[in-house]
């Protein structure tokens, strides 16, 4: 569970907001998720590693990217 500490944002080398990407994707709000630039994520894992709530941010962002890319192929 996200405790809104902001550590994932502080440690993101791409200056993304991993929690927003993860939360909008898991809620099924892909239009909103795209606003947070999930495709810019390099999947380094820093956000998941530093997260005290153990939220699987990298996995969620990876899934969001796959969904976006597969939708673009159609």
């Amino acid at each position: 569970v996200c405790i809104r500490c902001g550590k994932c944002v502080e440690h993101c080398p791409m200056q993304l907001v991993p929690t927003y990407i993860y939360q909008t994707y898991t809620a099924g709000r892909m239009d909103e998720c795209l606003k947070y630039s999930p495709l810019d994520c390099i999947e380094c894992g820093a956000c998941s590693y530093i997260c005290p709530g153990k939220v699987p941010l990298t996995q969620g962002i990876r899934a969001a990217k796959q969904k976006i890319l597969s939708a673009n192929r159609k």
Side-chain angles (χ1 to χ4, degrees):
V1 174
C2 179
I3 60 172
R4 305 204 190 293
C5 66
K7 288 184 179 185
C8 61
V9 178
E10 292 171 11
H11 287 85
C12 179
M14 298 303 293
Q15 300 178 351
L16 301 174
V17 184
T19 52
Y20 287 177
I21 298 169
Y22 178 83
Q23 290 169 350
T24 54
Y25 167 72
T26 56
R29 299 189 316 256
M30 291 307 295
D31 289 342
E32 189 176 349
C33 181
L34 283 167
K35 294 177 185 176
Y36 299 109
S37 307
L39 294 177
D40 291 345
C41 174
I42 59 173
E43 299 180 34
C44 66
C47 57
S48 293
Y49 180 79
I50 201 70
C51 180
K54 303 295 183 221
V55 177
L57 296 165
T58 305
Q59 290 174 302
I61 294 170
R62 185 178 297 127
K65 289 170 64 173
Q66 289 173 347
K67 186 168 186 170
I68 293 163
L69 294 172
S70 68
N72 288 341
R73 286 186 209 130
K74 293 179 182 178

